[in-house]
Amino acid sequence: MLNKRAMISQPMAGKTDEEIAETRDRAHAKLREMGYEFVNTLFTDEWYSDAAMENRGVVQIPLCYLAKSLENMSLCHAAYFCKGWENARGCRIEHDAAVAYGLEVLYED
């Protein structure tokens, strides 16, 4: 039986790395509790460093992150939206895609 998979969409602008990690850990725990396997959409390896992307000719770095996130969304049955998602451009786009493509949409309490 295939495990259901979910991604996390969270606002990051203006947040510290610690705040991002805390929110993500909380969301990840909630998804595990609900029986979902976690699909990572936080790209922190060297390939996605600003310098590496600039070297590859990426002009719109935030758009590159969003594109990779949407690619990983294709692996998911659900998307979990953290508080404040409606105020973050990338989260709103991810939300629109999740709704349009029939993913189960979950929200942080």
Side-chain angles (χ1 to χ4, degrees):
M1 184 171 136
L2 180 66
N3 289 338
K4 286 200 168 193
R5 294 181 299 264
M7 63 170 274
I8 295 168
S9 180
Q10 71 179 119
M12 294 186 194
K15 308 240 184 237
T16 66
D17 288 345
E18 293 78 22
E19 290 170 322
I20 292 168
E22 182 182 308
T23 300
R24 194 163 203 78
D25 290 346
R26 213 173 36 248
H28 191 187
K30 182 67 173 175
L31 287 171
R32 274 195 316 269
E33 178 184 302
M34 296 170 69
Y36 285 96
E37 184 180 318
F38 174 65
V39 173
N40 187 27
T41 54
L42 181 63
F43 310 106
T44 57
D45 61 339
E46 180 57 31
W47 181 254
Y48 289 103
S49 71
D50 288 354
M53 286 198 279
E54 287 174 9
N55 286 340
R56 292 195 314 273
V58 175
V59 177
Q60 297 293 331
I61 290 173
L63 188 57
C64 184
Y65 285 123
L66 178 62
K68 184 63 179 170
S69 181
L70 291 172
E71 177 185 349
N72 279 11
M73 184 186 280
S74 72
L75 304 172
C76 297
H77 301 92
Y80 182 94
F81 291 86
C82 297
K83 288 180 184 171
W85 70 268
E86 61 279 345
N87 300 316
R89 177 182 53 196
C91 293
R92 288 193 311 267
I93 293 169
E94 289 171 342
H95 187 269
D96 288 348
V99 170
Y101 286 90
L103 277 74
E104 182 178 359
V105 178
L106 309 166
Y107 302 97
E108 183 178 16
D109 296 332

